[in-house]
Structures are given as structure tokens and as C-alpha cells.
């Protein structure tokens, strides 16, 4: 028998009233979460500490998720030791980003949407009741007759079946301060339901949770009647937001736009890596300008359209905690850090960013940045660390670093934690951490360390904790001594053991000159990742893994040197040098002569060599697309074929005005040069990649409109590589470069730099009308010559 809706609502009302004392908090083992100092920075009343769900009469039991931010200014960051040191594996295939999830900053609500605050009239939990729009309105009407809703300050409507924002019903909660609407289905906003298209007047609302609500966009005046401090919009499907959406939120401190799923339906029919560059969130260039109080911005795992990156320059100067983790960032550019106030930054999982790194990349953050996560981003050198003198935590896990140099860490005197795990770092013979006096822990797990040198042991002696697991280290006396007493000195820290190795001896060529010996100790150091199987050593002669603690060959007296490579007495050294002097001289002479010849050859033929390998690379990549299905018209591949267009024009949308107002009238309107523009001439119904390849093949000449926006466009970069490939394939050489503005050398990709050095280009004059007339005359002449040929 089917139950009527009114009867079902009555049952829900009875259940709600019966379980209300227990549903407003979650029973179980939860850790109390302290409020951060963020609220204190805005001068709020002390009772506002319940913005994070604790303090005063609104104390909460916490949802068990740690808050990574300092409790008070100047205190340590609460980065968990386990993820930092060992590098915990990715959960459900998602990259692990520094700022965590919204659960870290919503201790008053559980992951299922239930309240964790102390029960009372100030907290009402209506989550997980599967109420639809009409059912919720009826239930609120019934509850209002029994409970004074004006006293409710914590309200959860999470994980119901709402499809409209319940604005009319929310008016009955005028004093609500923390509101969760997560887990509902606000897919669309309809013109015939205006009352549901924006929040009602809620003057005391400070925290709004709208995670996982299937949102695709929001109306421009959605936040007109509220003054939020915390806004959580993660795990939605937002692809664009109105430019004026954040105008009312002048007091917003915390904005979470992470984990947006922006996949477009129908584009997966062409399987190629360039389709991944299309889907993303489109943001107006001044999107964040109204947020003058913003302190926390999380864009983790939200892919951005290439033009949306320009919106990041509008971030205001109070922002401290920023996550650009896995957003598809193409390069490090100055406008990313115009705020100059960022203290905690995550730019991990942006493959390709490392190619633009240089010594001044982070200069604007020299006086603020304290925590930097730069994981899994193909970083291969560290000269960009020089300006970051205030850096305290640095995570470079999962890159392609191979060597460590002392110069890279010279200015990092405040560095406390360093994660270099899952790289390709080998042993070093120069003390690296001599200037990092504050360094306490270093993670070197899963690298390519084969031996332990004396300089490495000297560096380790400066630490309080470290990890070496996962390295294939050779069985040597150094390593045996390093682990000799490890199992006999356990500490109270789970998974950590004290190293009680015998005192180490550094020879006179160590860090203390003119002193015969200096004794060092690792007694205070801990191995946070010790596991017997990961600390085996390798006997490369027998190709076997052995337990170093069971080896008896290295049980030498304590007062003897533990490293056979340590400097010998001065007399022996001089004798050895005398014997090998002639041989060394010959080898050095041959090596220097060979290097000089190679250097001269590289100097004269460097660009030709680099261009040769670039051609091979482009041919290999583009051969992936040599499929018959990708060509709309194969006749363009024939040398004698008729061309449909005179010029294929490649340009970014930011330069669209110049192309339509200047180039198009002066070409087609003056000398009848037929241009191919993607927005006009691409055939409807075919993929972008298909149209690009087909139109290039049917064009007599290729023209690149180069600007700084062109360099940020993934499609323009692809068209530039494809143009080079197609010109070689069809044996044509008609390529025209038009520069709209001066480009710094450090921003030019290698392909464009080579083209600018090997081909004549023409630059658009911006000051003189006479120069512009000369520009069009030269361009007409070049195009007419190509057309006549």
C-alpha cells in the first residue's frame, strides 16, 4: 500500500522529535578540534568562536578531522607527521593536497552531514531524512509549532532530496549561524521559482556548506542577503560563475572551490591527451576582487580554463593559505603571487610548471611563504629556492631530483621539515645542510641512495628525525654502524626508533679545518619509518639482500674510523698522490681537451641539434593522430592540391578583438586574402582537433598571432607544434609570425624561441599610424607572394 506524502511527513516529524536529543551530535570517538586564530584577525566578538563549532555554550565533539592551520599566529603548522614523512598513498585515485578537505574546517558537522555540537535548542539536525521540497516545508511548519526556531543557530539539512534552495522555510531561522545544505540536488535554478534562487535575509549566517549539491552555476544575486565568512562549494559540477557572484561577500575569510567535476559530455569520443585540456571552470578575470578579507582559498583538483588563470591576479592582499594543487597550471607567472602575503602554498600535481621555474619565480613571496608543497610536478632543479628565506616546511615528494647541492639550501635558515621522498637522489660528497640550522626532519625514502658517505652522516647528525626506507643501500661498515643498536632503543613514538650508533669521526677535510678529528653522534636522531624489510642492505657481489644487524665483519673497535673512505694520515696521502700524479695529469688533459672540442661544436651547432631533436619529438607525438578519421579533407596533404584558404590564423581568445577589428578587414576587405578563423570556419559537428588538422592542410599559409595570452593557451601551443610538423610533412615553408607585444625570453617556449631565431617575423606597432600602414603593406606583400607561388 502506498503511503501518502502527508502521512510520511508526519512520521518524519515524530522520528525527528524522538531522536532530536541524540541526532544533534554524533556519538563515538572524536577528537575535539580547537578553533584557529583566523577569527581573531577580523575582530569578531568572542562568542563567534562557534564559527568552527567550539567554544562557549556551543562546544562541539569534533568530527575527527585535524585542522592543519596554526592555532595562534606564529605557532607550528599542524601537518600530520605520517603523511608528511612517509608520504601516504593517494586515496581513491585523487591527489593528496596540503589543505585537505572541507572536513578539516567543519568540525561542527560529520562527513554524513550530522551535527556534532552540544545538544540543545540552538542546534537542529534535519539531515538524512530523504525529504523532498514539499516535505521539508511541511516538516518545518510542524516543528515551528513545537520548537522555537528563532533560537536555532546550528542547522543541518544535509543529504535530503531537495531540488530547490528552501529559502522560504529558512526565513523561520533568522538567527542561524552555521548552515549545511550539502548532499542535495540543486542542479538548476528556474525563472518561475524566484523565491528559491537566492538565500533569504539571514543577517547572522557565517558558515554555509553547499558541498556535493550537483551545482552547475549559481545566480548572480544568490548571496545578496547574507554576510558569510566561510563558504564551501566543493564536489559540485560548476563550470562558470557570474562575475558579480561574490560582490556581497566582503567579509568572506574562507572559500572552498575544490574538487569540481567539469567533464563535458560527448567529448570523450575522440580519445587523445589534448581533450583533457578543454574541460575546466571558467572564471571572470576580476572574480576574486570583491573578496577583500579572504584568507583561505582552496582550488584543489579543480581544473581551470586557460583564461581563468588570469582571475588569480585579482586575489586580495590578505590571503594566507592557498591551494593550486592539480588545477592544470601551465606556468609560474608573476600575477599568481601579487598578493605577496601567502604563507601556505600548494602547487603540487601541475606537471609542466617545472619547465618555467627560474631563480626569481618566488621572489614576490620572499617575505611571507612558510609552507610550500610542490609534489609530483617533474621538478628537477632547486635554484628557485634562493628567495624563500622564511620557508619552514618544504615538500618535494615524487619529483625527478637527482642531486642535492649546498647552494640550493644556503638561504633556508628557517627550514624545519623537508620531504624529498620518491625522487632519484643519489649519495652526496659535500655537506648539504650546513646552513639549515632549524632543520629537524628530512624524508629521503625511496630514492637512489646506494652508499652512506661521511658527509651524509654529518648532515644526518643535525636532525631530530629522518627516513631512509626503500633505498637499496650497499652493505658497508658505515651502514652497519648506523643501524647497529637501533632495535634496542625504542621511543614512545609509534614506528620510530632511536639510533644509538657509535660516535662518527670526520677527518680534517670536513667542516672543521685544521682539526685532526671531530666526533659526531647520531644518538638523538629517530627513524620515523623504520621497518626491518625496508632497511636491509644489498650485497652486490652475490646480489642478495642481507640484514645489516646480523653482519659480523664490521664489528670494529669504537675508536676506529667507520668509513674506509675517510682521509688517511698526511704522509700516506702525499705518497699516494705522488704515485698517481702522472696518471691523473694525463687523464685530466685528455678530458679537458675532449670537453673543449665538444663545447666548441655545441656552441656552433646548438640550435641545429636542438631543432633536430624537437622535430623527432613532435613527429613522435603527432603520429598518434595520423588516423584517417581525423581528416575531413585529405586533399590538403597533396602538394599540387587546390587550397580552400589562403591563411590559417592561430590566435587566443584574448586577441580576438585585434583579429576581427584589424586583421580581418585589412585582409579580406582590402586584398581579398581568404582567412581561416576557428570561430567562423570550423565545421559544426566535428571535434576541435579534427577541424584544426583539416583546416591547416587546406590552407596555403599559416599565421601565428603571438602574445602572452597565446603562450598560456593550450590549444595555441598545440597549433604551433602542429604547424611545424605539418610544414615538414608537406614540404611547405609558408609560416608567418605576427608579434602583438614584446615577450620576455624566460616566458617563450623552446619551439617559439627557435622559430623567432630562424624565421623573419613582423611586429605590430602600437604608437604610430604611419608604422601601422607600413605593417599592413609588408604583410600584404608577403601574403600575395605566397598566394602567387
Amino acid at each position: 500500500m502506498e503511503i501518502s506524502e502527508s502521512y510520511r511527513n508526519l512520521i518524519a516529524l515524530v522520528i525527528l522529535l524522538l531522536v532530536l536529543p541524540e541526532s544533534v551530535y554524533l556519538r563515538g570517538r572524536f577528537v575535539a578540534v580547537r578553533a584557529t586564530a583566523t577569527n581573531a584577525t577580523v575582530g569578531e566578538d568572542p562568542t563567534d568562536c562557534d564559527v568552527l563549532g567550539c567554544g562557549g555554550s556551543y562546544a562541539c565533539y569534533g568530527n575527527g578531522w585535524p585542522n592543519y592551520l596554526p592555532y595562534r599566529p606564529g605557532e607550528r603548522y599542524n601537518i600530520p607527521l605520517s603523511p608528511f614523512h612517509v608520504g601516504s598513498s593517494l586515496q581513491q585515485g585523487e591527489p593528496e593536497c596540503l589543505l585537505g578537505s572541507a572536513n578539516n574546517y567543519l568540525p561542527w558537522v560529520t562527513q554524513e552531514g550530522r551535527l556534532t555540537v552540544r545538544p540543545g535548542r540552538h542546534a537542529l539536525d534535519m539531515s538524512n531524512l530523504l525529504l523532498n521540497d514539499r516535505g521539508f516545508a511541511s516538516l518545518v511548519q510542524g516543528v515551528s509549532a513545537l520548537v522555537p526556531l528563532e533560537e536555532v543557530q546550528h542547522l543541518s539539512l544535509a543529504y535530503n532530496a531537495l531540488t530547490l534552495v528552501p529559502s522560504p522555510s529558512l526565513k523561520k531561522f533568522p538567527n542561524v549561524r552555521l548552515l549545511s545544505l550539502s548532499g542535495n540536488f540543486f542542479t538548476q535554478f528556474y525563472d518561475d521559482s524566484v523565491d528559491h534562487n537566492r538565500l533569504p535575509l539571514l543577517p547572522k549566517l557565517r558558515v554555509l556548506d553547499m558541498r556535493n549539491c550537483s551545482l552547475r552555476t549559481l545566480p548572480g544575486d544568490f548571496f545578496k542577503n547574507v554576510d558569510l565568512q566561510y563558504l564551501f562549494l566543493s564536489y559540485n559540477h560548476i563550470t562558470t560563475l557570474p562575475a558579480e557572484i561574490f560582490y556581497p561577500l566582503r567579509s568572506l575569510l574562507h572559500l572552498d572551490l575544490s574538487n569540481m567535476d567539469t567533464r563535458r559530455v560527448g567529448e570523450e569520443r575522440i580519445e587523445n591527451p589534448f581533450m583533457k585540456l578543454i574541460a575546466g571552470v571558467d572564471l571572470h578575470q576580476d572574480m576574486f576582487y570583491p573578496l577583500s578579507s579572504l584568507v583561505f582559498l582552496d582550488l584543489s583538483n579543480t581544473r581551470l580554463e586557460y583564461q581563468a588563470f588570469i582571475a588569480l591576479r585579482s586575489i586580495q592582499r590578505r590571503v594566507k593559505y592557498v591551494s593550486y594543487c592539480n588545477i592544470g597550471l601551465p606556468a609560474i607567472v608573476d600575477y599568481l603571487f601579487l598578493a605577496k602575503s601567502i604563507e601556505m602554498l600548494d602547487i603540487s600535481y601541475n606537471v609542466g610548471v617545472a619547465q618555467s621555474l627560474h631563480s626569481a619565480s618566488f621572489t614576490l613571496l620572499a617575505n611571507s611563504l612558510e609552507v610550500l608543497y610542490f609534489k609530483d610536478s617533474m621538478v628537477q632543479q632547486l635554484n628557485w629556492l634562493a628567495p624563500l628565506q622564511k620557508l619552514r616546511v618544504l615538500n618535494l615528494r615524487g619529483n625527478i631530483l637527482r642531486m642535492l647541492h649546498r647552494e640550493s639550501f644556503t638561504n633556508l635558515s628557517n627550514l624545519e621539515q623537508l620531504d624529498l621522498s620518491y625522487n632519484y637522489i643519489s649519495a652526496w660528497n659535500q655537506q648539504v645542510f650546513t646552513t639549515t640550522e632549524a632543520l629537524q626532519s628530512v624524508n629521503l625514502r625511496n630514492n637512489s641512495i646506494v652508499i652512506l658517505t661521511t658527509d651524509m652522516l654529518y648532515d644526518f647528525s643535525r636532525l631530530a628525525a629522518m627516513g631512509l626506507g626503500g633505498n637499496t643501500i650497499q652493505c658497508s661498515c658505515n651502514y652497519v654502524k648506523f643501524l647497529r643498536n637501533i632495535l634496542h632503543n625504542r621511543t614512545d613514538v609509534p614506528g620510530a626508533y632511536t639510533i644509538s650508533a657509535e660516535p662518527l669521526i670526520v677527518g680534517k677535510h670536513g667542516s672543521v679545518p685544521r682539526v685532526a678529528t671531530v666526533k659526531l653522534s647520531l644518538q638523538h636522531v629517530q627513524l620515523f619509518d623504520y621497518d626491518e624489510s625496508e632497511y636491509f642492505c644489498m650485497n652486490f657481489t652475490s646480489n642478495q639482500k642481507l640484514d645489516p644487524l646480523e653482519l659480523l665483519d664490521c664489528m670494529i673497535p669504537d675508536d676506529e674510523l667507520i668509513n674506509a673512505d675517510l682521509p688517511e694520515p698526511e704522509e700516506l696521502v702525499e705518497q699516494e698522490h705522488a704515485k698517481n700524479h702522472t696518471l691523473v695529469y694525463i687523464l685530466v688533459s685528455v678530458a679537458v681537451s675532449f670537453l673543449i672540442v665538444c663545447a666548441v661544436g655545441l656552441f656552433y651547432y646548438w640550435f641545429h641539434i636542438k631543432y633536430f631533436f624537437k622535430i623527432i619529438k613532435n613527429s613522435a607525438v603527432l603520429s598518434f593522430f595520423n588516423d584517417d578519421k581525423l581528416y575531413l579533407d585529405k586533399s590538403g596533404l597533396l602538394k599540387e592540391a587546390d587550397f580552400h584558404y589562403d591563411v590559417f590564423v592561430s590566435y587566443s581568445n584574448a586577441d580576438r578583438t585585434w583579429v576581427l577589428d584589424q586583421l580581418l578587414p585589412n585582409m579580406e576587405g582590402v586584398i581579398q586574402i581568404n582567412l581561416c578563423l576557428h570561430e567562423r570556419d570550423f565545421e559544426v559537428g566535428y571535434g576541435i582537433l579534427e577541424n584544426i588538422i583539416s583546416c591547416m592542410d587546406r590552407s596555403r599559409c599559416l599565421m601565428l598571432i603571438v602574445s602572452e595570452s597565446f603562450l598560456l593557451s593550450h590549444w595555441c601551443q598545440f597549433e604551433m607544434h602542429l604547424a611545424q610538423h605539418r610544414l615538414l610533412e608537406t614540404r611547405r615553408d609558408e609560416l608567418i609570425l605576427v608579434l602583438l607585444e614584446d615577450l620576455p625570453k624566460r616566458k617563450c617556449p623552446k619551439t617559439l624561441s627557435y622559430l623567432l631565431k630562424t624565421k623573419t617575423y613582423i611586429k605590430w606597432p602600437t604608437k604610430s599610424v604611419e608604422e601601422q600602414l607600413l605593417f599592413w603593406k609588408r604583410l600584404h606583400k608577403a601574403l600575395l607572394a605566397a598566394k602567387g607561388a
Side-chain angles (χ1 to χ4, degrees), residues 329-334 336-337 347 353 356-358 361-362 746:
L329 192 66
I332 295 293
V333 290
D334 292 342
L336 292 175
F337 310 129
I347 52 176
V353 168
S356 65
L357 287 176
H358 54 88
S361 292
F362 294 92
R746 60 186 177 86

Side-chain angles (χ1 to χ4, degrees), residues 183-226:
N184 287 287
F185 307 95
F186 306 132
T187 306
Q188 298 183 14
F189 295 86
Y190 303 96
D191 295 337
D192 56 353
S193 56
V194 180
D195 292 341
H196 297 272
N197 289 352
R198 65 183 178 188
L199 294 171
L201 182 62
L202 299 172
K204 295 187 177 182
L205 185 63
R206 294 296 178 263
V207 184
L208 177 61
D209 176 18
M210 293 189 70
R211 295 171 293 158
N212 195 23
C213 288
S214 301
L215 293 170
R216 298 188 180 277
T217 187
L218 284 171
D221 60 347
F222 187 77
F223 301 112
K224 180 179 180 180
N225 298 320
V226 295

Side-chain angles (χ1 to χ4, degrees), residues 479-502:
Y479 192 50
V480 171
K481 202 120 183 181
F482 184 74
L483 295 176
R484 183 172 173 182
N485 297 324
I486 195 169
L487 295 180
H488 304 292
N489 297 277
R490 300 195 177 191
T491 67
D492 295 332
V493 180
Y497 299 85
T498 299
I499 301 173
S500 287
E502 302 299 333

Side-chain angles (χ1 to χ4, degrees), residues 517-532:
T517 59
V518 177
K519 291 187 176 181
L520 302 175
S521 175
L522 294 174
Q523 188 174 1
H524 58 282
V525 183
Q526 295 179 353
L527 286 180
F528 52 74
D529 66 338
Y530 181 77
D531 182 88
E532 182 179 354

